[in-house]
Amino acid sequence: MVERRDIAIASTRIVTGLIGLAVGVVAVGAAIALPWPSVTVEPAAVTISPTASEQQRVCAGPLLSLADDATQATAAASFGSASVVSAAADSEVTSVELDAPRNPRFDRDGGPTLLSAPPVGEAGALAGSQSQVAATETVAGFAAAACAEALDEAWLVAGATDVGRTSLIVLSNPTSVAATVSLELFGENGPIDAPGTSAILVPAGQQVVLPLAGFAPNVRTPVVHVVSEGGRVAANLQHTVIRGLTPGGVELAGPSALPAENVVIPGVVLSANTADTGEDHTHDLEDSHPVIRLLAPDADAQVTVDITAESSGAVTSLELDLTAGQSLDVPLDGLTTGGHTISVRSSEPIVAAARTAVTLQNAPDFAWHAATEPLLDDAPFVVAEGPSPVLHLTNPGSTDVTVEVVPGEGAERSIVVPSNGAASVSVSAEESYVLEGVAGLHASVGYLSPATSSSFALQPPGPLEAPVRVYTH
């Protein structure tokens, strides 16, 4: 009897245990299936809107000539004044000269100009440009340039330092802080390691001019990478040519677009006496043949160059290989007279610019055409004084774009820029304009006469001063 009772008790305990285990399994399964309570804490943050600062643009100032004084062979002296025009939306433009202490004629000819305007709602509403005609025994021609923002990095794709060519690196610091500049140099034989290219001091509110030949002599295809710390600088490269005793032109080249795998150069205009000159390039030594200069700074690249005629849309293509660090001038053959867009597709980031010329025997001149960054929706610009200025627009997109060209005075005009194509329109010298509806397009202003040639790029403004979200600990 006792054994039966013990067995019954044990059985009851086993059954009870199994039931408890089953309940536990069900409870765990339910806990997994049902959402667990969670606790979240939003990080403390403060949104700060920086106070808008005034807009600024820097004009490089008058053209310069080396060794006018035999006792100062490396001194760059001006030989006249540049004509500067500027405009800003709904506000006055203030013009102040920066100091150029190394120019012995600064007091007479002036120096670089700092343009300022109060902050406005639209980015980049301030614009300016300058131009100058040169007619001396050593420098002759016409040069126009945009007044640009000071930057901490710029690529100057222009110039030469072989016999008869002079290139000056012009660095203007509009800030209140001294700039420490380093130069990275490239040529047809690769990177150029030269003493004195680092820790170059550009004092606050001053301009410093450096002869490129002092770092890289006898280079036919130089490219200069300017990097600034502390204060920012506006960088230009003045390129002059003299053939024997005859001046062969002058240009004041601005920065090209930063290295990229897709590069666009708008408004490359070929005059009647330089287009389609055939295969004989002996005249390359006279800078009179159109070329495109390319550099892949970091890695070997496979490149396709498409040259599209503005008027007909006809495309000429070139395929070539670039060796890392070696700049290359590629002749532009078989092209017709008129405006062209050069589009470059590359397997690695590259920089580029194009050179064109007019070759009248008694008055040769040339122009450098910088690669441009895509514009924002609106783009103001001002046309400096010069011969027959033309606005060139390039549309790399897949749909046609209608652009409104709004002058400071007079009636606005509409221009259709076809997809994967280009268009141009005449503009008036010493007039301000705003381009509306140009997001993603590329643009430049070019000048051309039988004896003169020049060009400057329309670049978008730098990053906007957007509100900053700061997370606190």
Side-chain angles (χ1 to χ4, degrees), residues 58-61 64 98-102 111-113 150-156 168-175 179-184 196-211 215 224-229 231-238 252-253 255:
V58 181
C59 312
L64 304 164
L98 301 180
D99 194 12
R102 302 184 189 180
T113 301
L151 304 170
D152 54 16
E153 179 183 18
W155 288 84
L156 301 173
L168 304 176
I169 304 169
V170 182
L171 305 174
S172 305
N173 177 7
T175 73
T180 302
V181 173
S182 297
L183 305 178
E184 188 178 13
T197 55
S198 61
I200 299 168
L201 182 65
V202 184
Q206 292 188 16
Q207 182 182 81
V208 170
V209 179
L210 306 170
F215 307 114
V224 182
H225 181 204
V226 180
V227 178
S228 177
E229 296 181 353
R232 296 183 173 188
V233 298
N236 295 85
L237 188 143
Q238 181 187 304
L252 188 59

Coordinates of all heavy atoms in Angstrom, one line a residue, residues 58-61 64 98-102 111-113 150-156 168-175 179-184 196-211 215 224-229 231-238 252-253 255:
V58 N 38.4 88.2 -55.9 CA 39.7 88.8 -56.0 C 40.1 88.9 -57.5 O 40.0 87.9 -58.2 CB 40.8 88.0 -55.3 CG1 42.1 88.6 -55.4 CG2 40.4 87.8 -53.8
C59 N 40.4 90.1 -58.0 CA 40.9 90.3 -59.3 C 42.4 90.4 -59.3 O 43.0 91.0 -58.4 CB 40.3 91.6 -59.9 SG 38.6 91.8 -59.7
A60 N 43.1 89.7 -60.2 CA 44.5 89.5 -60.1 C 45.3 90.7 -60.2 O 46.5 90.8 -59.8 CB 45.0 88.5 -61.2
G61 N 44.8 91.8 -60.9 CA 45.5 93.0 -61.1 C 46.3 93.1 -62.4 O 46.1 92.3 -63.3
L64 N 52.1 91.7 -65.8 CA 53.5 91.9 -65.3 C 54.5 91.5 -66.3 O 54.3 90.7 -67.2 CB 53.6 91.1 -64.0 CG 52.6 91.3 -62.9 CD1 52.7 90.2 -61.9 CD2 52.8 92.7 -62.2
L98 N 44.6 95.4 -52.8 CA 45.5 94.6 -52.0 C 46.9 95.2 -52.2 O 47.2 95.8 -53.3 CB 45.4 93.1 -52.2 CG 44.1 92.5 -52.0 CD1 44.2 91.0 -52.4 CD2 43.6 92.7 -50.6
D99 N 47.8 94.9 -51.3 CA 49.2 95.4 -51.5 C 50.0 94.5 -52.4 O 49.8 93.2 -52.3 CB 49.8 95.5 -50.1 CG 51.1 96.3 -50.1 OD1 51.4 97.0 -51.2 OD2 51.8 96.3 -49.1
A100 N 50.9 95.0 -53.2 CA 51.8 94.2 -54.0 C 53.2 94.8 -53.8 O 53.7 95.5 -54.6 CB 51.4 94.3 -55.4
P101 N 53.8 94.6 -52.6 CA 55.0 95.3 -52.2 C 56.2 94.9 -53.1 O 57.2 95.7 -53.2 CB 55.3 94.8 -50.8 CG 54.5 93.5 -50.7 CD 53.3 93.6 -51.5
R102 N 56.2 93.8 -53.9 CA 57.3 93.4 -54.7 C 57.2 94.0 -56.1 O 58.0 93.8 -57.0 CB 57.4 91.9 -54.8 CG 57.6 91.2 -53.4 CD 57.8 89.7 -53.6 NE 57.7 89.1 -52.3 CZ 57.9 87.8 -52.1 NH1 58.1 87.0 -53.1 NH2 57.8 87.3 -50.9
G111 N 47.3 97.4 -57.9 CA 47.6 96.0 -57.7 C 46.3 95.2 -57.8 O 45.3 95.5 -58.5
P112 N 46.3 94.0 -57.2 CA 45.1 93.2 -57.2 C 44.0 93.9 -56.4 O 44.2 94.7 -55.6 CB 45.6 91.9 -56.4 CG 46.7 92.4 -55.6 CD 47.4 93.4 -56.4
T113 N 42.8 93.6 -56.8 CA 41.6 94.2 -56.3 C 40.7 93.3 -55.5 O 40.4 92.2 -56.1 CB 40.8 94.9 -57.4 OG1 41.6 95.8 -58.1 CG2 39.6 95.6 -56.9
A150 N 38.8 83.3 -53.2 CA 40.1 82.7 -52.7 C 39.8 81.3 -52.2 O 38.7 81.0 -51.6 CB 40.6 83.5 -51.5
L151 N 40.7 80.4 -52.6 CA 40.5 78.9 -52.3 C 41.7 78.4 -51.5 O 42.8 79.0 -51.5 CB 40.3 78.2 -53.6 CG 39.2 78.7 -54.5 CD1 39.3 78.0 -55.9 CD2 37.8 78.4 -53.9
D152 N 41.5 77.2 -51.0 CA 42.6 76.5 -50.3 C 43.3 75.5 -51.3 O 44.3 74.9 -50.9 CB 42.2 75.8 -49.0 CG 41.0 74.9 -49.2 OD1 40.7 74.5 -50.4 OD2 40.4 74.5 -48.2
E153 N 42.7 75.3 -52.5 CA 43.3 74.4 -53.5 C 43.0 74.9 -54.9 O 41.8 75.3 -55.1 CB 42.8 73.0 -53.3 CG 43.4 72.0 -54.3 CD 42.8 70.6 -54.1 OE1 41.7 70.5 -53.4 OE2 43.4 69.7 -54.6
A154 N 43.9 74.9 -55.8 CA 43.7 75.3 -57.2 C 44.7 74.6 -58.1 O 45.8 74.3 -57.7 CB 43.9 76.8 -57.3
W155 N 44.2 74.3 -59.3 CA 45.0 73.6 -60.3 C 45.1 74.6 -61.5 O 44.2 75.0 -62.1 CB 44.4 72.3 -60.8 CG 44.4 71.2 -59.8 CD1 43.6 71.0 -58.8 CD2 45.4 70.2 -59.7 NE1 44.0 69.9 -58.1 CE2 45.1 69.3 -58.6 CE3 46.6 69.9 -60.5 CZ2 45.9 68.2 -58.3 CZ3 47.3 68.8 -60.2 CH2 47.0 68.0 -59.1
L156 N 46.4 75.0 -61.8 CA 46.7 75.9 -62.9 C 47.2 75.1 -64.0 O 48.4 74.6 -64.0 CB 47.7 77.0 -62.5 CG 47.2 77.8 -61.3 CD1 48.4 78.7 -60.8 CD2 46.0 78.7 -61.7
L168 N 54.3 83.2 -64.8 CA 54.3 83.7 -63.5 C 53.1 83.2 -62.7 O 52.0 83.3 -63.1 CB 54.2 85.3 -63.5 CG 55.3 86.0 -64.4 CD1 55.0 87.5 -64.4 CD2 56.7 85.7 -63.8
I169 N 53.4 82.6 -61.5 CA 52.3 82.2 -60.6 C 52.0 83.4 -59.7 O 52.8 83.9 -59.0 CB 52.8 81.0 -59.7 CG1 53.3 79.9 -60.6 CG2 51.7 80.6 -58.8 CD1 54.0 78.8 -59.8
V170 N 50.7 83.8 -59.8 CA 50.2 85.0 -59.1 C 49.3 84.6 -58.0 O 48.2 84.0 -58.2 CB 49.5 85.9 -60.1 CG1 49.0 87.2 -59.4 CG2 50.4 86.3 -61.3
L171 N 49.7 84.8 -56.7 CA 49.0 84.4 -55.5 C 48.5 85.6 -54.8 O 49.4 86.4 -54.3 CB 49.9 83.5 -54.7 CG 50.5 82.3 -55.3 CD1 51.5 81.6 -54.4 CD2 49.4 81.3 -55.8
S172 N 47.2 85.8 -54.6 CA 46.7 87.0 -53.9 C 45.9 86.5 -52.7 O 45.0 85.7 -52.8 CB 45.7 87.8 -54.8 OG 46.4 88.1 -56.0
N173 N 46.3 87.0 -51.5 CA 45.6 86.6 -50.3 C 44.7 87.8 -49.7 O 45.2 88.7 -49.2 CB 46.7 86.3 -49.2 CG 46.1 85.9 -47.9 OD1 44.9 85.8 -47.7 ND2 47.0 85.7 -46.9
P174 N 43.4 87.6 -49.9 CA 42.5 88.7 -49.4 C 42.1 88.6 -48.0 O 41.4 89.5 -47.4 CB 41.3 88.5 -50.3 CG 41.2 87.0 -50.5 CD 42.7 86.5 -50.5
T175 N 42.6 87.5 -47.3 CA 42.1 87.3 -45.9 C 43.0 88.1 -44.9 O 44.0 88.7 -45.3 CB 42.2 85.8 -45.6 OG1 43.6 85.4 -45.4 CG2 41.6 85.0 -46.7
A179 N 48.8 83.2 -45.4 CA 48.7 81.9 -46.1 C 50.0 81.3 -46.3 O 51.0 81.9 -46.7 CB 48.0 82.1 -47.4
T180 N 50.1 80.0 -46.0 CA 51.3 79.2 -46.2 C 51.0 78.3 -47.4 O 50.1 77.4 -47.3 CB 51.7 78.4 -45.0 OG1 51.9 79.2 -43.9 CG2 53.0 77.6 -45.3
V181 N 51.7 78.5 -48.5 CA 51.3 77.9 -49.8 C 52.4 76.8 -50.1 O 53.6 77.1 -50.0 CB 51.2 78.9 -50.9 CG1 51.0 78.2 -52.3 CG2 50.0 79.9 -50.6
S182 N 51.9 75.7 -50.6 CA 52.8 74.7 -51.2 C 52.4 74.5 -52.7 O 51.3 74.5 -53.0 CB 52.7 73.4 -50.5 OG 53.1 73.5 -49.1
L183 N 53.5 74.3 -53.5 CA 53.3 74.0 -54.9 C 53.7 72.6 -55.3 O 54.7 72.1 -54.9 CB 54.1 75.0 -55.8 CG 53.9 76.5 -55.5 CD1 54.9 77.3 -56.4 CD2 52.5 76.9 -55.7
E184 N 52.8 71.9 -56.0 CA 53.1 70.6 -56.5 C 53.2 70.8 -58.0 O 52.2 71.2 -58.7 CB 52.0 69.6 -56.1 CG 52.3 68.2 -56.5 CD 51.2 67.2 -56.1 OE1 50.1 67.7 -55.7 OE2 51.5 66.0 -56.1
G196 N 62.1 74.9 -52.5 CA 61.4 76.2 -52.4 C 60.0 76.2 -52.7 O 59.3 77.2 -52.7
T197 N 59.4 75.0 -53.0 CA 58.0 74.9 -53.3 C 57.1 74.7 -52.2 O 55.8 74.6 -52.3 CB 57.8 73.7 -54.3 OG1 58.3 72.5 -53.8 CG2 58.5 74.0 -55.6
S198 N 57.6 74.6 -51.0 CA 56.8 74.5 -49.8 C 57.0 75.7 -48.8 O 58.0 76.4 -48.9 CB 57.1 73.2 -49.0 OG 58.4 73.1 -48.6
A199 N 56.0 75.9 -47.9 CA 56.1 76.9 -46.9 C 56.3 78.3 -47.5 O 57.1 79.1 -47.0 CB 57.2 76.6 -45.9
I200 N 55.7 78.6 -48.7 CA 55.7 79.9 -49.3 C 54.8 80.8 -48.6 O 53.6 80.5 -48.5 CB 55.4 79.8 -50.8 CG1 56.4 78.9 -51.5 CG2 55.4 81.2 -51.4 CD1 56.0 78.5 -52.9
L201 N 55.2 81.9 -48.0 CA 54.4 82.8 -47.2 C 53.8 83.9 -48.1 O 54.5 84.6 -48.8 CB 55.2 83.4 -46.1 CG 54.4 84.4 -45.2 CD1 53.4 83.6 -44.3 CD2 55.4 85.1 -44.2
V202 N 52.5 83.9 -48.1 CA 51.7 85.0 -48.7 C 51.1 85.8 -47.6 O 50.0 85.4 -47.0 CB 50.7 84.5 -49.7 CG1 50.0 85.7 -50.4 CG2 51.3 83.5 -50.7
P203 N 51.6 87.0 -47.2 CA 51.1 87.7 -46.1 C 49.6 88.1 -46.3 O 49.1 88.2 -47.4 CB 52.0 88.9 -46.0 CG 53.2 88.5 -46.7 CD 52.8 87.6 -47.8
A204 N 48.9 88.4 -45.2 CA 47.5 88.8 -45.3 C 47.4 90.1 -46.0 O 48.2 91.0 -45.9 CB 47.0 89.0 -43.8
G205 N 46.4 90.1 -47.0 CA 46.2 91.3 -47.7 C 47.2 91.7 -48.7 O 47.3 92.8 -49.2
Q206 N 48.0 90.7 -49.2 CA 49.1 91.0 -50.1 C 49.1 90.0 -51.3 O 48.5 88.9 -51.2 CB 50.5 90.9 -49.4 CG 50.7 92.0 -48.5 CD 52.1 92.1 -47.9 OE1 53.0 91.5 -48.5 NE2 52.4 92.8 -46.9
Q207 N 49.9 90.3 -52.3 CA 50.1 89.5 -53.5 C 51.5 89.1 -53.6 O 52.4 89.9 -53.4 CB 49.6 90.2 -54.8 CG 49.8 89.3 -56.0 CD 49.4 90.1 -57.3 OE1 50.1 90.9 -57.8 NE2 48.1 89.9 -57.7
V208 N 51.8 87.8 -53.9 CA 53.1 87.3 -54.2 C 53.2 86.8 -55.6 O 52.3 86.0 -56.0 CB 53.5 86.3 -53.1 CG1 54.8 85.6 -53.5 CG2 53.7 86.9 -51.7
V209 N 54.2 87.1 -56.3 CA 54.4 86.6 -57.7 C 55.6 85.8 -57.8 O 56.7 86.2 -57.4 CB 54.5 87.8 -58.7 CG1 54.7 87.3 -60.1 CG2 53.2 88.6 -58.6
L210 N 55.5 84.6 -58.3 CA 56.6 83.6 -58.4 C 56.9 83.2 -59.8 O 56.0 82.7 -60.5 CB 56.3 82.4 -57.6 CG 55.9 82.6 -56.1 CD1 55.4 81.3 -55.5 CD2 57.1 83.1 -55.3
P211 N 58.1 83.4 -60.4 CA 58.4 83.0 -61.7 C 58.5 81.4 -61.7 O 59.2 80.8 -60.9 CB 59.8 83.6 -62.0 CG 59.9 84.7 -61.0 CD 59.2 84.3 -59.8
F215 N 61.4 77.3 -60.4 CA 61.2 76.0 -59.9 C 61.3 74.9 -61.0 O 61.7 73.8 -60.7 CB 59.8 75.9 -59.2 CG 59.5 76.9 -58.2 CD1 58.5 77.9 -58.4 CD2 60.2 76.9 -57.0 CE1 58.2 78.8 -57.5 CE2 59.9 77.9 -56.1 CZ 58.9 78.8 -56.3
V224 N 50.4 73.2 -62.4 CA 50.8 73.7 -61.0 C 49.6 73.4 -60.1 O 48.5 73.9 -60.3 CB 51.2 75.2 -61.0 CG1 51.6 75.6 -59.6 CG2 52.3 75.4 -62.0
H225 N 49.8 72.7 -59.0 CA 48.8 72.4 -58.0 C 49.1 73.3 -56.8 O 50.2 73.1 -56.2 CB 48.8 70.9 -57.6 CG 47.8 70.6 -56.6 ND1 47.9 69.5 -55.8 CD2 46.6 71.2 -56.3 CE1 46.8 69.4 -55.0 NE2 46.0 70.4 -55.2
V226 N 48.2 74.2 -56.5 CA 48.5 75.2 -55.4 C 47.6 74.8 -54.2 O 46.4 74.6 -54.3 CB 48.0 76.6 -55.8 CG1 48.3 77.6 -54.7 CG2 48.8 77.0 -57.1
V227 N 48.3 74.6 -53.1 CA 47.6 74.2 -51.8 C 47.9 75.2 -50.8 O 49.1 75.5 -50.5 CB 48.0 72.8 -51.4 CG1 47.3 72.5 -50.1 CG2 47.7 71.8 -52.4
S228 N 46.9 75.8 -50.1 CA 47.1 76.9 -49.1 C 46.6 76.5 -47.8 O 45.5 75.8 -47.7 CB 46.4 78.1 -49.6 OG 46.5 79.2 -48.6
E229 N 47.3 76.8 -46.7 CA 46.9 76.6 -45.4 C 46.9 77.9 -44.7 O 47.6 78.9 -45.0 CB 47.8 75.6 -44.6 CG 47.8 74.2 -45.2 CD 48.8 73.3 -44.5 OE1 49.5 73.8 -43.6 OE2 48.8 72.1 -44.8
G231 N 45.4 81.3 -44.4 CA 44.6 82.1 -45.3 C 44.4 81.4 -46.6 O 45.3 80.6 -47.0
R232 N 43.4 81.8 -47.3 CA 43.2 81.2 -48.7 C 43.7 82.2 -49.7 O 43.8 83.4 -49.4 CB 41.7 81.0 -48.9 CG 41.1 79.9 -48.0 CD 39.7 79.6 -48.3 NE 39.1 78.5 -47.6 CZ 37.9 77.9 -47.8 NH1 37.2 78.4 -48.7 NH2 37.6 76.9 -47.1
V233 N 44.0 81.7 -50.9 CA 44.6 82.6 -51.9 C 43.8 82.4 -53.2 O 43.2 81.3 -53.5 CB 46.1 82.3 -52.2 CG1 46.9 82.5 -50.9 CG2 46.3 80.8 -52.7
A234 N 43.7 83.5 -54.0 CA 43.3 83.4 -55.4 C 44.5 83.2 -56.3 O 45.4 84.0 -56.2 CB 42.5 84.7 -55.7
A235 N 44.5 82.2 -57.1 CA 45.7 81.8 -57.9 C 45.4 82.0 -59.4 O 44.3 81.6 -59.9 CB 46.1 80.4 -57.6
N236 N 46.4 82.6 -60.1 CA 46.3 82.8 -61.5 C 47.7 82.4 -62.1 O 48.7 82.5 -61.3 CB 46.0 84.2 -61.9 CG 44.5 84.5 -61.5 OD1 44.3 85.0 -60.4 ND2 43.6 84.4 -62.5
L237 N 47.8 82.2 -63.4 CA 49.1 82.0 -64.0 C 49.1 82.9 -65.3 O 48.3 82.8 -66.2 CB 49.3 80.5 -64.4 CG 50.7 80.2 -64.9 CD1 51.1 78.8 -64.5 CD2 50.8 80.3 -66.5
Q238 N 50.1 83.8 -65.3 CA 50.3 84.7 -66.4 C 51.3 84.0 -67.4 O 52.4 83.7 -67.0 CB 50.8 86.1 -66.0 CG 51.0 87.0 -67.2 CD 51.6 88.3 -66.9 OE1 51.1 89.0 -66.0 NE2 52.7 88.6 -67.5
L252 N 46.1 85.5 -69.0 CA 46.1 85.4 -67.5 C 45.1 84.3 -67.2 O 43.9 84.5 -67.1 CB 45.6 86.7 -66.9 CG 45.7 86.8 -65.4 CD1 47.1 86.6 -64.9 CD2 45.1 88.2 -64.9
A253 N 45.6 83.1 -67.0 CA 44.8 81.9 -66.9 C 44.3 81.7 -65.4 O 45.1 81.8 -64.5 CB 45.6 80.6 -67.3
P255 N 42.1 79.1 -62.5 CA 42.2 77.6 -62.1 C 41.2 76.8 -63.0 O 40.1 77.3 -63.4 CB 41.8 77.6 -60.7 CG 42.0 79.0 -60.2 CD 41.7 79.9 -61.3

